[in-house]
Amino acid sequence: MQEIVCDTVNSLLAVADHSFRSHKSYNRVRESNFSLEGLLGFNIKERTVGVIGTGVASSKKSYDPIMNEELKNDPKFTYVSLEDLLARADIITLHSPLLPSTKHLINSETIGKMKEGVVLINTSRGGLVDSKALVEGLKSKKVSAAGLDVYEKEARYFFQDKSQSVIQDDVLARLLSFNNVFISGHQAFLTKEALTSIAKTTLENITAVVHGEDCPNVLKPSK
């Protein structure tokens, strides 16, 4: 979906834009402090971006057990094994559904196989990442930065105003404490176009079922 791609790009830009320190720059300038100290970023150009799950986004190096036929023949893309992607990507972005086979796809073992200083982006599902392992990866500097729009145990906090509360989730609190971690509240879907599309599809589904017509979005039990 286009809005997911846009949110991923925003996270990538935030990563490149001085390791998520734009907010610090904004606050400095508001106080007439125009110093650039500590705001060094990096260019995305010439970096290898690895995309896990190419149903939504894409890049130079991609991994998906089910290949996208259009991307398969696109010279801008190269499908590689997961092991190869982990070893070669400077930035890894996740776009996979959460399934038993993908739960904690990013864990201590897979993080150990990544390049030193890798950047991790997750705008898909929080459960794809073992958050405790990510914390350790950040502490060891194996992971140089992370951009997260989702969190494994987000239900207790996301979509709510918790500004007057103490975060009881120690892992989430630790992630929030890193100055090289950008976290947003599961907002990748939040665009006018996406909400309109969701409403339109929902109404079409209801109309089809009420009139006894074939509904292409009916969930069918696996055999």
Side-chain angles (χ1 to χ4, degrees):
M1 296 170 67
Q2 186 175 359
E3 60 276 4
I4 303 295
V5 176
C6 290
D7 199 67
T8 301
V9 171
N10 287 336
S11 291
L12 286 172
L13 291 175
V15 168
D17 189 13
H18 319 304
S19 298
F20 310 123
R21 292 174 185 166
S22 290
H23 63 291
K24 291 186 177 181
S25 175
Y26 172 79
N27 290 331
R28 286 182 186 182
V29 171
R30 294 273 294 180
E31 298 176 357
S32 300
N33 179 356
F34 300 94
S35 170
L36 301 181
E37 185 70 27
L39 300 179
L40 182 66
F42 66 85
N43 292 337
I44 295 178
K45 185 179 180 180
E46 304 302 330
R47 304 275 176 168
T48 298
V49 180
V51 177
I52 297 179
T54 52
V56 174
S58 50
S59 184
K60 292 181 179 179
K61 303 296 179 186
S62 305
Y63 165 76
D64 197 321
I66 302 176
M67 293 187 181
N68 183 308
E69 290 301 320
E70 291 184 13
L71 297 180
K72 186 177 180 181
N73 299 315
D74 191 327
K76 297 179 182 179
F77 297 82
T78 304
Y79 273 104
V80 296
S81 68
L82 179 59
E83 298 283 327
D84 192 18
L85 184 147
L86 294 173
R88 297 169 62 182
D90 299 298
I91 300 170
I92 295 176
T93 177
L94 308 179
H95 301 277
S96 299
L98 180 59
L99 305 169
S101 59
T102 60
K103 182 176 175 60
H104 287 179
L105 180 65
I106 303 302
N107 53 54
S108 56
E109 182 180 352
T110 50
I111 289 175
K113 296 177 181 179
M114 296 177 187
K115 293 178 68 172
E116 291 293 327
V118 67
V119 172
L120 179 68
I121 306 293
N122 186 11
T123 59
S124 186
R125 292 290 180 265
L128 297 176
V129 177
D130 181 340
S131 299
K132 292 182 179 179
L134 176 58
V135 167
E136 293 304 314
L138 288 159
K139 288 167 63 178
S140 68
K141 298 184 179 180
K142 181 77 170 184
V143 180
S144 66
L148 309 173
D149 184 54
V150 288
Y151 174 66
E152 184 175 11
K153 298 180 180 179
E154 65 184 47
R156 186 176 178 183
Y157 297 99
F158 285 22
F159 309 122
Q160 304 174 66
D161 181 359
K162 294 290 185 177
S163 59
Q164 302 301 315
S165 305
V166 175
I167 300 295
Q168 299 296 324
D169 186 324
D170 291 343
V171 178
L172 176 58
R174 186 68 179 97
L175 286 170
L176 288 168
S177 74
F178 287 103
N179 65 5
N180 56 344
V181 174
F182 174 85
I183 299 179
S184 52
H186 202 147
Q187 64 186 51
F189 75 96
L190 197 59
T191 67
K192 292 180 180 179
E193 293 79 7
L195 294 178
T196 298
S197 178
I198 291 170
K200 182 174 181 290
T201 300
T202 300
L203 290 173
E204 289 175 348
N205 290 341
I206 294 173
T207 300
V209 171
V210 168
H211 290 87
E213 300 170 355
D214 180 51
C215 179
N217 298 311
V218 170
L219 294 178
K220 300 178 180 179
S222 57
K223 297 180 180 180

